[in-house]
Amino acid sequence: MSKKILIVDDAAFMRMMIKDILTKNGYEVVGEAENGTKAIEKFKELSPDLVIMDITMPELDGIAAVKEIKKIDGDSKIIMCSAMGQQAMVIESIQAGARDFIVKPFQAERVVEAVKKVLG
């Protein structure tokens, strides 16, 4: 059975890029969300194996969403995405419970490597 992944990013083209990389590598994208609030709803609804979450989003940012998802499921697996130069946010997201992070602009190999590492 392929692993189910939820993609969270406020930019539709970023979600599309990540989805494309993942589906080409045999993963199933079960849902997408454009902000942290929707990410939490989708997480409850879909129970994905992995969440790939942007940090900077409207309504509820990625770090706040990670903390909420971790309350729902302490074993949830989350990979954060951030643009260059957001090291402090990356550290904060790891402390909040994220397992790894990928930096934008994405390299397909790095996305797949992070997903494989986190999903084991």
Side-chain angles (χ1 to χ4, degrees):
M1 196 179 100
S2 66
K3 295 289 186 181
K4 300 182 304 197
I5 300 176
L6 171 63
I7 300 171
V8 186
D9 197 305
D10 55 330
F13 78 95
M14 275 297 180
R15 294 196 306 268
M16 199 173 70
M17 269 176 56
I18 299 169
K19 185 176 185 173
D20 190 49
I21 293 167
L22 294 171
T23 49
K24 280 182 181 157
N25 285 279
Y27 296 100
E28 182 190 355
V29 175
V30 290
E32 296 180 25
E34 64 274 5
N35 62 49
T37 308
K38 291 230 169 53
I40 295 162
E41 286 168 21
K42 293 269 187 186
F43 184 84
K44 288 178 188 169
E45 178 191 324
L46 302 167
S47 304
D49 298 301
L50 175 68
V51 181
I52 297 181
M53 175 107 57
D54 187 20
I55 291 180
T56 315
M57 293 182 293
E59 271 187 59
L60 190 70
D61 70 29
I63 294 168
V66 167
K67 290 175 180 169
E68 286 305 309
I69 288 172
K70 283 291 182 185
K71 283 181 199 165
I72 298 163
D73 177 1
D75 295 327
S76 57
K77 294 178 169 71
I78 304 165
I79 297 175
M80 300 304 285
C81 315
S82 73
M84 292 297 286
Q86 292 182 316
Q87 277 83 357
M89 286 179 157
V90 167
I91 292 163
E92 196 180 336
S93 59
I94 299 288
Q95 288 169 339
R99 302 276 180 101
D100 200 353
F101 66 93
I102 39 185
V103 177
K104 296 175 185 177
F106 301 121
Q107 262 107 27
E109 308 81 57
R110 175 67 187 111
V111 174
V112 173
E113 175 197 314
V115 168
K116 280 182 180 161
K117 186 177 106 179
V118 172
L119 289 174

